[in-house]
Amino acid sequence: MRYTSLIIKTSIKNNIHFKIPLIIYIIITLICVVGITAIFSIISISPEMEKELTDISLLETYLGVIMYSTCTIGVGVNLNAFAFQSITREKTRGNIESLLATPLKAGSIWAAKSIATFIPGLIVGEFLTILVMIVINYIYFIPEIGFIFNPWTAVSTFIIIPLIFLSLSLLSHLVGLTSRAANGNIIVQIFLPVFANVMINLSIHHVLEITSWTFTAINLGIAAVIIIISIFLMRRLTKERIVLSG
Amino acid sequence: MQPVISIKNVKKALGDREVLKDISFTAGKSDIFGYLGPNGAGKTTTIRILLGLLQADSGNVEVLGKNINLSETRRKIGFVLDSDGLYENMTAEDNMAFYTRIYGVSEAEERIGSLLKIVNLDDRARDMVKTYSRGMRQRLALARSMVHDPEVLILDEPTAGVDPSGQIEIRQIMINIARKENKTIFLSSHNLDEVQRICNRIALIDRGKIKLYGELKSLRQGMGKGMVEIKTRQPIPESLELEIKSLPELGLKEKMDEMLIFSPTEGTGVSEIISFLNSRGVKIEEAVKKEASLEELYSTILKEAEPS
């Protein structure tokens, strides 16, 4: 555990200095979060608030979609931007092989690299989500109907989304370390747009209510599937396989 | 000699290809052991096995008398791999500090400071590694490999891509480590001149087999045995050259103007060659018994090994 936290700290310190991915992450995240929040506020929340009889469950859904999207973008785009540094770059530049030649275990290196790539996104994603939730409540809801907070949306957003992307980080690092490094990045790059589009569209079109426990359970199921795949692939995680796939 | 590194009958296949075919060698304390071979000969695979990154299919690998896969054994080994594995966005100090924590080095700051001084990077200690030249990176990697005061250093081409002055500095550091600190250095290199200058023992691997192994000095003497260079005062006439060639015991290898190089058979000494030449009226200016250079050793062995 001591070694894991040591590698996490070092990797975060190293990753944060990569200016281009950091700038890309900040710009994409801000554009998406501000854009989604503005569009939903103007097109959906504002007209609903002007009605004489406001539908609170509808407002909960709109707020839920904004929060869910914000957290997904905050955590997911970070993983997209930095997984390349963590897997491809470190593998090709010999950082991983050097670590493997020390007394560290392959499992510790894998876990630490996965968590290190995930943590900055978690902090930014959760912070932006809380910020967006408070701002929308203060601008629209508190003056008229009071603070809106749905517990299932909160669980999905603040707990399950990070869990999904932590599992995805573990899976992509596992695949990237034990096969061609780019394979790990491809998983992340495909997953984020597909997952975000499907889940947000399902909730917007009321196929799955974002405020329901079913939505939370489905998200939890996605995390579970990724974790099960990772556990299944873990037996591939040997020093020999990592070195020879480099 | 007490073996510090011991490889016995090691075989390793990667896929269908047998990369190491029953190799054996040992290196002792304070040895600078040169490991030579052409590209694809199996050098990196051997290094990876020595570092526990790959497992041998059969045979025995021990460092300091213990299995290489034990964590306590790995703590006694320092290494520089072909890719230096330095974190570019961190300073030299931070890179070193990271490895001191991995190895649990006490008084890390002092250790880092003294090592950076040894490799002449103390004035650049707080600069990001990405601002370093190739030579500086290699010196830093070398310092990092010694951060936990290992008994054995395994170095994979530490001077590759480094300019000549950088190479000299790195070589001097390696010599000091082995001679003053009694460490064993396992040096894989393509640079024959470098190996000849600093190594006392060598192994030459080609296509997964050890072709030559032992004390460098005795190998050179053995290979150069009887090689005699004779400088004459006047050019040798063609008729005499033909006569010399007809005597296989003299073993004329080369003739260049006034220079004759012989590789006589066993039992034929320098004096016999000289008296033969004198008897034919040849005046000799100089006669030198030659030691084979490592380059000659290398090319002879590899030429012999070439499939016909």
Side-chain angles (χ1 to χ4, degrees):
Chain A
M1 193 62 203
R2 188 168 70 92
Y3 293 127
T4 309
S5 63
L6 173 64
I7 303 170
I8 291 171
K9 276 187 221 160
T10 309
S11 299
I12 291 175
K13 200 172 175 181
N14 190 52
N15 284 351
I16 278 173
H17 283 97
F18 284 110
K19 289 196 183 81
I20 293 173
L22 191 66
I23 292 167
I24 290 172
Y25 170 51
I26 292 169
I27 291 173
I28 292 179
T29 304
L30 287 179
I31 289 173
C32 291
V33 170
V34 172
I36 289 170
T37 308
I39 289 167
F40 269 89
S41 299
I42 295 162
I43 295 174
S44 308
I45 297 175
S46 202
E48 188 61 31
M49 290 303 293
E50 281 164 13
K51 286 182 186 168
E52 271 186 29
L53 211 62
T54 51
D55 184 345
I56 291 181
S57 66
L58 204 57
L59 291 175
E60 277 184 346
T61 301
Y62 295 145
L63 179 64
V65 171
I66 294 171
M67 285 168 62
Y68 187 84
S69 315
T70 301
C71 199
T72 303
I73 290 160
V75 184
V77 175
N78 164 76
L79 200 59
N80 260 279
F82 289 102
F84 172 78
Q85 309 302 329
S86 179
I87 311 172
T88 310
R89 198 178 173 99
E90 291 205 10
K91 205 171 167 187
T92 51
R93 301 217 168 190
N95 301 71
I96 300 288
E97 194 172 344
S98 292
L99 287 177
L100 289 170
T102 68
L104 296 177
K105 293 196 160 50
S108 303
I109 297 167
W110 163 60
K113 290 284 170 196
S114 309
I115 295 168
T117 312
F118 162 75
I119 283 178
L122 172 73
I123 295 167
V124 173
E126 302 260 293
F127 171 76
L128 284 176
T129 309
I130 292 169
L131 188 71
V132 161
M133 181 180 77
I134 291 171
V135 167
I136 290 175
N137 264 288
Y138 267 91
I139 293 174
Y140 293 105
F141 307 148
I142 291 176
E144 307 273 333
I145 50 172
F147 197 87
I148 286 184
F149 178 83
N150 180 280
W152 288 118
T153 306
V155 172
S156 302
T157 305
F158 292 114
I159 298 170
I160 313 294
I161 285 290
L163 185 65
I164 288 172
F165 282 97
L166 174 60
S167 336
L168 186 70
S169 185
L170 286 164
L171 177 65
S172 62
H173 277 78
L174 185 57
V175 172
L177 285 173
T178 57
S179 65
R180 273 193 332 119
N183 292 349
N185 301 327
I186 291 168
I187 291 175
V188 179
Q189 282 159 5
I190 293 174
F191 182 85
L192 177 65
V194 172
F195 168 78
N197 268 308
V198 170
M199 297 311 284
I200 292 166
N201 273 298
L202 287 176
S203 54
I204 289 172
H205 295 102
H206 303 287
V207 179
L208 265 175
E209 286 301 333
I210 203 163
T211 51
S212 67
W213 68 269
T214 354
F215 187 82
T216 308
I218 286 171
N219 277 278
L220 189 61
I222 292 168
V225 169
I226 301 171
I227 290 168
I228 289 166
I229 296 170
S230 302
I231 292 170
F232 179 73
L233 293 175
M234 260 177 75
R235 62 202 161 100
R236 290 163 56 98
L237 193 72
T238 61
K239 289 190 176 189
E240 181 148 336
R241 191 181 276 272
I242 297 172
V243 168
L244 293 177
S245 65
Chain B
M1 182 188 73
Q2 191 190 345
V4 172
I5 296 171
S6 166
I7 284 197
K8 276 185 200 152
N9 307 113
V10 166
K11 289 182 184 175
K12 178 71 185 172
L14 296 176
D16 296 336
R17 198 165 68 91
E18 207 178 354
V19 182
L20 298 180
K21 301 168 185 168
D22 200 15
I23 66 163
S24 302
F25 58 79
T26 59
K29 202 165 177 60
S30 307
D31 273 351
I32 304 184
F33 188 95
Y35 198 49
L36 301 162
N39 289 334
K43 297 193 299 294
T44 301
T45 303
T46 311
I47 284 181
R48 284 172 167 172
I49 286 175
L50 275 173
L51 290 171
L53 296 170
L54 299 180
Q55 299 300 313
D57 294 338
S58 65
N60 190 33
V61 183
E62 284 184 349
V63 172
L64 297 159
K66 290 189 175 151
N67 187 301
I68 183 62
N69 292 315
L70 297 172
S71 171
E72 60 169 311
T73 314
R74 284 233 270 285
R75 284 183 187 281
K76 291 173 182 164
I77 301 173
F79 58 86
V80 174
L81 299 173
D82 53 352
S83 304
D84 56 41
L86 295 165
Y87 291 91
E88 296 193 332
N89 285 325
M90 282 165 47
T91 65
E93 260 181 0
D94 286 346
N95 268 281
M96 300 274 285
F98 176 48
Y99 275 79
T100 59
R101 287 187 208 114
I102 288 175
Y103 288 109
V105 177
S106 56
E107 295 175 353
E109 268 184 47
E110 287 83 356
R111 180 81 185 146
I112 293 168
S114 67
L115 285 171
L116 288 175
K117 204 166 185 176
I118 289 172
V119 297
N120 291 327
L121 286 174
D122 46 335
D123 56 333
R124 298 283 308 267
R126 291 190 179 163
D127 291 351
M128 295 276 189
V129 170
K130 65 182 170 192
T131 65
Y132 279 22
S133 67
R134 172 81 180 153
M136 290 165 78
R137 290 179 71 118
Q138 286 299 85
R139 278 187 280 146
L140 177 59
L142 196 57
R144 187 197 59 188
S145 73
M146 295 185 287
V147 87
H148 54 300
D149 196 21
E151 300 282 315
V152 181
L153 278 176
I154 295 174
L155 311 176
D156 195 358
E157 299 185 38
T159 55
V162 179
D163 64 41
S165 61
Q167 287 185 20
I168 293 166
E169 279 185 55
I170 291 173
R171 263 180 231 144
Q172 197 50 53
I173 295 165
M174 287 192 280
I175 291 168
N176 289 343
I177 294 166
R179 304 285 174 263
K180 292 182 185 164
E181 298 187 35
N182 284 327
K183 315 276 187 204
T184 302
I185 298 180
F186 182 88
L187 171 70
S188 164
S189 181
H190 275 123
N191 189 335
L192 300 177
D193 179 54
E194 175 175 280
V195 171
Q196 185 164 309
R197 279 167 193 268
I198 68 171
C199 295
N200 59 322
R201 288 170 73 77
I202 64 154
L204 170 58
I205 185 169
D206 181 37
R207 278 166 276 182
K209 283 184 179 168
I210 299 290
K211 301 286 182 187
L212 187 72
Y213 160 62
E215 292 281 341
L216 180 56
K217 198 169 179 190
S218 51
L219 290 172
R220 287 177 66 193
Q221 280 169 348
M223 187 65 84
K225 197 175 179 179
M227 282 274 258
V228 179
E229 254 181 34
I230 290 180
K231 199 174 173 192
T232 58
R233 284 193 185 158
Q234 70 270 32
I236 303 290
E238 212 163 296
S239 57
L240 180 58
E241 187 188 340
L242 287 171
E243 193 184 351
I244 298 170
K245 276 184 179 167
S246 69
L247 300 167
E249 64 271 24
L250 297 184
L252 179 66
K253 294 215 62 148
E254 224 173 314
K255 176 185 164 277
M256 296 171 286
D257 300 328
E258 283 129 43
M259 178 73 81
L260 295 164
I261 300 173
F262 295 91
S263 177
T265 55
E266 246 182 274
T268 312
V270 187
S271 54
E272 273 103 334
I273 301 172
I274 292 171
S275 48
F276 171 81
L277 291 171
N278 283 340
S279 69
R280 298 296 185 273
V282 178
K283 287 186 180 160
I284 291 165
E285 196 168 291
E286 195 181 18
V288 181
K289 203 168 175 185
K290 254 186 91 182
E291 258 185 4
S293 70
L294 185 56
E295 196 174 312
E296 285 163 336
L297 273 176
Y298 186 90
S299 51
T300 309
I301 296 293
L302 292 190
K303 213 169 182 180
E304 280 171 8
E306 261 175 30
S308 48

PDB file of all heavy atoms in Angstrom, chain B residues 23-52:
ATOM      1  N   ILE B  23      22.942 -21.077 -21.933  1.00  0.00           N
ATOM      2  CA  ILE B  23      24.094 -20.209 -21.661  1.00  0.00           C
ATOM      3  C   ILE B  23      24.526 -20.319 -20.195  1.00  0.00           C
ATOM      4  O   ILE B  23      23.692 -20.531 -19.311  1.00  0.00           O
ATOM      5  CB  ILE B  23      23.845 -18.727 -22.044  1.00  0.00           C
ATOM      6  CG1 ILE B  23      22.755 -18.088 -21.163  1.00  0.00           C
ATOM      7  CG2 ILE B  23      23.476 -18.582 -23.498  1.00  0.00           C
ATOM      8  CD1 ILE B  23      22.767 -16.573 -21.215  1.00  0.00           C
ATOM      9  N   SER B  24      25.805 -20.190 -19.966  1.00  0.00           N
ATOM     10  CA  SER B  24      26.366 -20.226 -18.605  1.00  0.00           C
ATOM     11  C   SER B  24      27.527 -19.244 -18.517  1.00  0.00           C
ATOM     12  O   SER B  24      28.310 -19.136 -19.445  1.00  0.00           O
ATOM     13  CB  SER B  24      26.913 -21.623 -18.274  1.00  0.00           C
ATOM     14  OG  SER B  24      25.912 -22.586 -18.386  1.00  0.00           O
ATOM     15  N   PHE B  25      27.589 -18.516 -17.424  1.00  0.00           N
ATOM     16  CA  PHE B  25      28.771 -17.698 -17.112  1.00  0.00           C
ATOM     17  C   PHE B  25      28.648 -17.209 -15.672  1.00  0.00           C
ATOM     18  O   PHE B  25      27.577 -17.291 -15.071  1.00  0.00           O
ATOM     19  CB  PHE B  25      28.927 -16.512 -18.073  1.00  0.00           C
ATOM     20  CG  PHE B  25      27.771 -15.562 -18.118  1.00  0.00           C
ATOM     21  CD1 PHE B  25      27.589 -14.606 -17.134  1.00  0.00           C
ATOM     22  CD2 PHE B  25      26.854 -15.609 -19.172  1.00  0.00           C
ATOM     23  CE1 PHE B  25      26.520 -13.727 -17.187  1.00  0.00           C
ATOM     24  CE2 PHE B  25      25.786 -14.730 -19.226  1.00  0.00           C
ATOM     25  CZ  PHE B  25      25.625 -13.794 -18.232  1.00  0.00           C
ATOM     26  N   THR B  26      29.745 -16.746 -15.143  1.00  0.00           N
ATOM     27  CA  THR B  26      29.708 -16.157 -13.805  1.00  0.00           C
ATOM     28  C   THR B  26      30.529 -14.867 -13.811  1.00  0.00           C
ATOM     29  O   THR B  26      31.429 -14.695 -14.627  1.00  0.00           O
ATOM     30  CB  THR B  26      30.319 -17.091 -12.730  1.00  0.00           C
ATOM     31  OG1 THR B  26      31.665 -17.371 -13.090  1.00  0.00           O
ATOM     32  CG2 THR B  26      29.543 -18.374 -12.568  1.00  0.00           C
ATOM     33  N   ALA B  27      30.166 -13.986 -12.891  1.00  0.00           N
ATOM     34  CA  ALA B  27      30.956 -12.758 -12.690  1.00  0.00           C
ATOM     35  C   ALA B  27      31.226 -12.644 -11.197  1.00  0.00           C
ATOM     36  O   ALA B  27      30.344 -12.935 -10.379  1.00  0.00           O
ATOM     37  CB  ALA B  27      30.175 -11.554 -13.190  1.00  0.00           C
ATOM     38  N   GLY B  28      32.442 -12.263 -10.855  1.00  0.00           N
ATOM     39  CA  GLY B  28      32.814 -12.196  -9.442  1.00  0.00           C
ATOM     40  C   GLY B  28      32.789 -10.790  -8.884  1.00  0.00           C
ATOM     41  O   GLY B  28      32.449  -9.837  -9.585  1.00  0.00           O
ATOM     42  N   LYS B  29      33.136 -10.677  -7.611  1.00  0.00           N
ATOM     43  CA  LYS B  29      33.129  -9.375  -6.940  1.00  0.00           C
ATOM     44  C   LYS B  29      34.132  -8.423  -7.604  1.00  0.00           C
ATOM     45  O   LYS B  29      35.207  -8.847  -8.020  1.00  0.00           O
ATOM     46  CB  LYS B  29      33.502  -9.568  -5.470  1.00  0.00           C
ATOM     47  CG  LYS B  29      33.030  -8.428  -4.596  1.00  0.00           C
ATOM     48  CD  LYS B  29      33.085  -8.801  -3.138  1.00  0.00           C
ATOM     49  CE  LYS B  29      32.700  -7.655  -2.247  1.00  0.00           C
ATOM     50  NZ  LYS B  29      31.356  -7.147  -2.455  1.00  0.00           N
ATOM     51  N   SER B  30      33.757  -7.197  -7.746  1.00  0.00           N
ATOM     52  CA  SER B  30      34.560  -6.119  -8.354  1.00  0.00           C
ATOM     53  C   SER B  30      34.825  -6.321  -9.844  1.00  0.00           C
ATOM     54  O   SER B  30      35.588  -5.561 -10.431  1.00  0.00           O
ATOM     55  CB  SER B  30      35.916  -5.942  -7.662  1.00  0.00           C
ATOM     56  OG  SER B  30      35.741  -5.774  -6.313  1.00  0.00           O
ATOM     57  N   ASP B  31      34.249  -7.334 -10.415  1.00  0.00           N
ATOM     58  CA  ASP B  31      34.406  -7.528 -11.863  1.00  0.00           C
ATOM     59  C   ASP B  31      33.642  -6.457 -12.627  1.00  0.00           C
ATOM     60  O   ASP B  31      32.554  -6.052 -12.212  1.00  0.00           O
ATOM     61  CB  ASP B  31      33.805  -8.883 -12.299  1.00  0.00           C
ATOM     62  CG  ASP B  31      34.792 -10.020 -12.167  1.00  0.00           C
ATOM     63  OD1 ASP B  31      35.967  -9.742 -11.916  1.00  0.00           O
ATOM     64  OD2 ASP B  31      34.369 -11.180 -12.304  1.00  0.00           O
ATOM     65  N   ILE B  32      34.221  -6.033 -13.724  1.00  0.00           N
ATOM     66  CA  ILE B  32      33.405  -5.312 -14.716  1.00  0.00           C
ATOM     67  C   ILE B  32      33.280  -6.303 -15.855  1.00  0.00           C
ATOM     68  O   ILE B  32      34.246  -6.571 -16.575  1.00  0.00           O
ATOM     69  CB  ILE B  32      34.047  -3.990 -15.186  1.00  0.00           C
ATOM     70  CG1 ILE B  32      34.339  -3.081 -13.973  1.00  0.00           C
ATOM     71  CG2 ILE B  32      33.114  -3.283 -16.155  1.00  0.00           C
ATOM     72  CD1 ILE B  32      34.881  -1.710 -14.349  1.00  0.00           C
ATOM     73  N   PHE B  33      32.114  -6.886 -15.939  1.00  0.00           N
ATOM     74  CA  PHE B  33      31.885  -7.996 -16.856  1.00  0.00           C
ATOM     75  C   PHE B  33      31.240  -7.466 -18.144  1.00  0.00           C
ATOM     76  O   PHE B  33      30.134  -6.939 -18.121  1.00  0.00           O
ATOM     77  CB  PHE B  33      30.958  -9.010 -16.172  1.00  0.00           C
ATOM     78  CG  PHE B  33      30.778 -10.290 -16.924  1.00  0.00           C
ATOM     79  CD1 PHE B  33      31.570 -11.396 -16.632  1.00  0.00           C
ATOM     80  CD2 PHE B  33      29.816 -10.402 -17.930  1.00  0.00           C
ATOM     81  CE1 PHE B  33      31.400 -12.590 -17.326  1.00  0.00           C
ATOM     82  CE2 PHE B  33      29.654 -11.582 -18.627  1.00  0.00           C
ATOM     83  CZ  PHE B  33      30.442 -12.686 -18.322  1.00  0.00           C
ATOM     84  N   GLY B  34      31.963  -7.559 -19.226  1.00  0.00           N
ATOM     85  CA  GLY B  34      31.439  -7.071 -20.504  1.00  0.00           C
ATOM     86  C   GLY B  34      30.625  -8.146 -21.201  1.00  0.00           C
ATOM     87  O   GLY B  34      31.090  -9.279 -21.332  1.00  0.00           O
ATOM     88  N   TYR B  35      29.435  -7.790 -21.594  1.00  0.00           N
ATOM     89  CA  TYR B  35      28.558  -8.748 -22.278  1.00  0.00           C
ATOM     90  C   TYR B  35      28.340  -8.226 -23.698  1.00  0.00           C
ATOM     91  O   TYR B  35      27.688  -7.203 -23.899  1.00  0.00           O
ATOM     92  CB  TYR B  35      27.252  -8.841 -21.509  1.00  0.00           C
ATOM     93  CG  TYR B  35      26.427 -10.069 -21.825  1.00  0.00           C
ATOM     94  CD1 TYR B  35      27.001 -11.335 -21.820  1.00  0.00           C
ATOM     95  CD2 TYR B  35      25.065  -9.962 -22.096  1.00  0.00           C
ATOM     96  CE1 TYR B  35      26.238 -12.468 -22.079  1.00  0.00           C
ATOM     97  CE2 TYR B  35      24.292 -11.086 -22.347  1.00  0.00           C
ATOM     98  CZ  TYR B  35      24.891 -12.330 -22.339  1.00  0.00           C
ATOM     99  OH  TYR B  35      24.134 -13.450 -22.599  1.00  0.00           O
ATOM    100  N   LEU B  36      28.934  -8.935 -24.635  1.00  0.00           N
ATOM    101  CA  LEU B  36      28.966  -8.453 -26.019  1.00  0.00           C
ATOM    102  C   LEU B  36      28.151  -9.335 -26.942  1.00  0.00           C
ATOM    103  O   LEU B  36      27.956 -10.521 -26.669  1.00  0.00           O
ATOM    104  CB  LEU B  36      30.409  -8.477 -26.533  1.00  0.00           C
ATOM    105  CG  LEU B  36      31.433  -7.656 -25.791  1.00  0.00           C
ATOM    106  CD1 LEU B  36      32.822  -8.144 -26.140  1.00  0.00           C
ATOM    107  CD2 LEU B  36      31.269  -6.210 -26.161  1.00  0.00           C
ATOM    108  N   GLY B  37      27.783  -8.759 -28.042  1.00  0.00           N
ATOM    109  CA  GLY B  37      27.096  -9.557 -29.054  1.00  0.00           C
ATOM    110  C   GLY B  37      26.395  -8.668 -30.047  1.00  0.00           C
ATOM    111  O   GLY B  37      26.098  -7.510 -29.727  1.00  0.00           O
ATOM    112  N   PRO B  38      26.152  -9.193 -31.238  1.00  0.00           N
ATOM    113  CA  PRO B  38      25.444  -8.370 -32.226  1.00  0.00           C
ATOM    114  C   PRO B  38      23.979  -8.180 -31.832  1.00  0.00           C
ATOM    115  O   PRO B  38      23.497  -8.820 -30.892  1.00  0.00           O
ATOM    116  CB  PRO B  38      25.561  -9.191 -33.513  1.00  0.00           C
ATOM    117  CG  PRO B  38      25.840 -10.579 -33.085  1.00  0.00           C
ATOM    118  CD  PRO B  38      26.497 -10.516 -31.755  1.00  0.00           C
ATOM    119  N   ASN B  39      23.290  -7.323 -32.558  1.00  0.00           N
ATOM    120  CA  ASN B  39      21.859  -7.121 -32.298  1.00  0.00           C
ATOM    121  C   ASN B  39      21.116  -8.446 -32.425  1.00  0.00           C
ATOM    122  O   ASN B  39      21.378  -9.220 -33.343  1.00  0.00           O
ATOM    123  CB  ASN B  39      21.262  -6.128 -33.296  1.00  0.00           C
ATOM    124  CG  ASN B  39      21.742  -4.718 -33.033  1.00  0.00           C
ATOM    125  OD1 ASN B  39      22.095  -4.378 -31.916  1.00  0.00           O
ATOM    126  ND2 ASN B  39      21.774  -3.911 -34.083  1.00  0.00           N
ATOM    127  N   GLY B  40      20.210  -8.677 -31.513  1.00  0.00           N
ATOM    128  CA  GLY B  40      19.391  -9.894 -31.581  1.00  0.00           C
ATOM    129  C   GLY B  40      20.106 -11.134 -31.089  1.00  0.00           C
ATOM    130  O   GLY B  40      19.601 -12.251 -31.237  1.00  0.00           O
ATOM    131  N   ALA B  41      21.280 -10.947 -30.473  1.00  0.00           N
ATOM    132  CA  ALA B  41      22.047 -12.120 -30.010  1.00  0.00           C
ATOM    133  C   ALA B  41      21.469 -12.720 -28.736  1.00  0.00           C
ATOM    134  O   ALA B  41      21.665 -13.902 -28.461  1.00  0.00           O
ATOM    135  CB  ALA B  41      23.494 -11.719 -29.771  1.00  0.00           C
ATOM    136  N   GLY B  42      20.753 -11.899 -27.956  1.00  0.00           N
ATOM    137  CA  GLY B  42      20.180 -12.384 -26.697  1.00  0.00           C
ATOM    138  C   GLY B  42      20.657 -11.598 -25.481  1.00  0.00           C
ATOM    139  O   GLY B  42      20.409 -12.010 -24.347  1.00  0.00           O
ATOM    140  N   LYS B  43      21.317 -10.460 -25.713  1.00  0.00           N
ATOM    141  CA  LYS B  43      21.852  -9.678 -24.594  1.00  0.00           C
ATOM    142  C   LYS B  43      20.731  -9.120 -23.709  1.00  0.00           C
ATOM    143  O   LYS B  43      20.763  -9.282 -22.498  1.00  0.00           O
ATOM    144  CB  LYS B  43      22.698  -8.495 -25.114  1.00  0.00           C
ATOM    145  CG  LYS B  43      23.922  -8.889 -25.891  1.00  0.00           C
ATOM    146  CD  LYS B  43      24.843  -7.702 -26.089  1.00  0.00           C
ATOM    147  CE  LYS B  43      24.239  -6.554 -26.859  1.00  0.00           C
ATOM    148  NZ  LYS B  43      23.925  -6.842 -28.265  1.00  0.00           N
ATOM    149  N   THR B  44      19.762  -8.473 -24.334  1.00  0.00           N
ATOM    150  CA  THR B  44      18.694  -7.852 -23.547  1.00  0.00           C
ATOM    151  C   THR B  44      17.870  -8.913 -22.824  1.00  0.00           C
ATOM    152  O   THR B  44      17.459  -8.719 -21.679  1.00  0.00           O
ATOM    153  CB  THR B  44      17.813  -6.972 -24.459  1.00  0.00           C
ATOM    154  OG1 THR B  44      18.666  -5.982 -25.039  1.00  0.00           O
ATOM    155  CG2 THR B  44      16.721  -6.275 -23.694  1.00  0.00           C
ATOM    156  N   THR B  45      17.662 -10.048 -23.490  1.00  0.00           N
ATOM    157  CA  THR B  45      16.912 -11.131 -22.829  1.00  0.00           C
ATOM    158  C   THR B  45      17.669 -11.596 -21.587  1.00  0.00           C
ATOM    159  O   THR B  45      17.065 -11.814 -20.531  1.00  0.00           O
ATOM    160  CB  THR B  45      16.699 -12.301 -23.811  1.00  0.00           C
ATOM    161  OG1 THR B  45      16.030 -11.792 -24.960  1.00  0.00           O
ATOM    162  CG2 THR B  45      15.876 -13.409 -23.196  1.00  0.00           C
ATOM    163  N   THR B  46      18.984 -11.713 -21.697  1.00  0.00           N
ATOM    164  CA  THR B  46      19.787 -12.125 -20.533  1.00  0.00           C
ATOM    165  C   THR B  46      19.633 -11.107 -19.410  1.00  0.00           C
ATOM    166  O   THR B  46      19.428 -11.475 -18.248  1.00  0.00           O
ATOM    167  CB  THR B  46      21.281 -12.231 -20.921  1.00  0.00           C
ATOM    168  OG1 THR B  46      21.393 -12.991 -22.121  1.00  0.00           O
ATOM    169  CG2 THR B  46      22.090 -12.880 -19.829  1.00  0.00           C
ATOM    170  N   ILE B  47      19.718  -9.834 -19.769  1.00  0.00           N
ATOM    171  CA  ILE B  47      19.582  -8.774 -18.753  1.00  0.00           C
ATOM    172  C   ILE B  47      18.207  -8.827 -18.101  1.00  0.00           C
ATOM    173  O   ILE B  47      18.085  -8.721 -16.882  1.00  0.00           O
ATOM    174  CB  ILE B  47      19.855  -7.396 -19.389  1.00  0.00           C
ATOM    175  CG1 ILE B  47      21.358  -7.245 -19.592  1.00  0.00           C
ATOM    176  CG2 ILE B  47      19.314  -6.259 -18.532  1.00  0.00           C
ATOM    177  CD1 ILE B  47      21.805  -5.959 -20.186  1.00  0.00           C
ATOM    178  N   ARG B  48      17.200  -9.035 -18.917  1.00  0.00           N
ATOM    179  CA  ARG B  48      15.847  -9.093 -18.355  1.00  0.00           C
ATOM    180  C   ARG B  48      15.692 -10.293 -17.413  1.00  0.00           C
ATOM    181  O   ARG B  48      14.989 -10.208 -16.417  1.00  0.00           O
ATOM    182  CB  ARG B  48      14.818  -9.148 -19.487  1.00  0.00           C
ATOM    183  CG  ARG B  48      14.627  -7.788 -20.131  1.00  0.00           C
ATOM    184  CD  ARG B  48      13.765  -7.862 -21.355  1.00  0.00           C
ATOM    185  NE  ARG B  48      13.356  -6.523 -21.777  1.00  0.00           N
ATOM    186  CZ  ARG B  48      12.718  -6.265 -22.897  1.00  0.00           C
ATOM    187  NH1 ARG B  48      12.406  -7.244 -23.728  1.00  0.00           N
ATOM    188  NH2 ARG B  48      12.372  -5.032 -23.217  1.00  0.00           N
ATOM    189  N   ILE B  49      16.344 -11.385 -17.746  1.00  0.00           N
ATOM    190  CA  ILE B  49      16.298 -12.549 -16.862  1.00  0.00           C
ATOM    191  C   ILE B  49      17.051 -12.236 -15.557  1.00  0.00           C
ATOM    192  O   ILE B  49      16.582 -12.554 -14.465  1.00  0.00           O
ATOM    193  CB  ILE B  49      16.866 -13.800 -17.571  1.00  0.00           C
ATOM    194  CG1 ILE B  49      15.850 -14.287 -18.607  1.00  0.00           C
ATOM    195  CG2 ILE B  49      17.185 -14.920 -16.571  1.00  0.00           C
ATOM    196  CD1 ILE B  49      16.328 -15.438 -19.474  1.00  0.00           C
ATOM    197  N   LEU B  50      18.193 -11.560 -15.687  1.00  0.00           N
ATOM    198  CA  LEU B  50      18.971 -11.206 -14.495  1.00  0.00           C
ATOM    199  C   LEU B  50      18.218 -10.246 -13.571  1.00  0.00           C
ATOM    200  O   LEU B  50      18.447 -10.232 -12.373  1.00  0.00           O
ATOM    201  CB  LEU B  50      20.284 -10.534 -14.912  1.00  0.00           C
ATOM    202  CG  LEU B  50      21.445 -11.452 -15.240  1.00  0.00           C
ATOM    203  CD1 LEU B  50      22.604 -10.648 -15.802  1.00  0.00           C
ATOM    204  CD2 LEU B  50      21.897 -12.214 -14.004  1.00  0.00           C
ATOM    205  N   LEU B  51      17.325  -9.458 -14.156  1.00  0.00           N
ATOM    206  CA  LEU B  51      16.555  -8.506 -13.355  1.00  0.00           C
ATOM    207  C   LEU B  51      15.205  -9.073 -12.920  1.00  0.00           C
ATOM    208  O   LEU B  51      14.403  -8.368 -12.305  1.00  0.00           O
ATOM    209  CB  LEU B  51      16.339  -7.208 -14.146  1.00  0.00           C
ATOM    210  CG  LEU B  51      17.584  -6.342 -14.360  1.00  0.00           C
ATOM    211  CD1 LEU B  51      17.293  -5.208 -15.327  1.00  0.00           C
ATOM    212  CD2 LEU B  51      18.071  -5.780 -13.035  1.00  0.00           C
ATOM    213  N   GLY B  52      14.947 -10.317 -13.270  1.00  0.00           N
ATOM    214  CA  GLY B  52      13.688 -10.944 -12.875  1.00  0.00           C
ATOM    215  C   GLY B  52      12.497 -10.486 -13.695  1.00  0.00           C
ATOM    216  O   GLY B  52      11.351 -10.714 -13.324  1.00  0.00           O
TER     217      GLY B  52
END
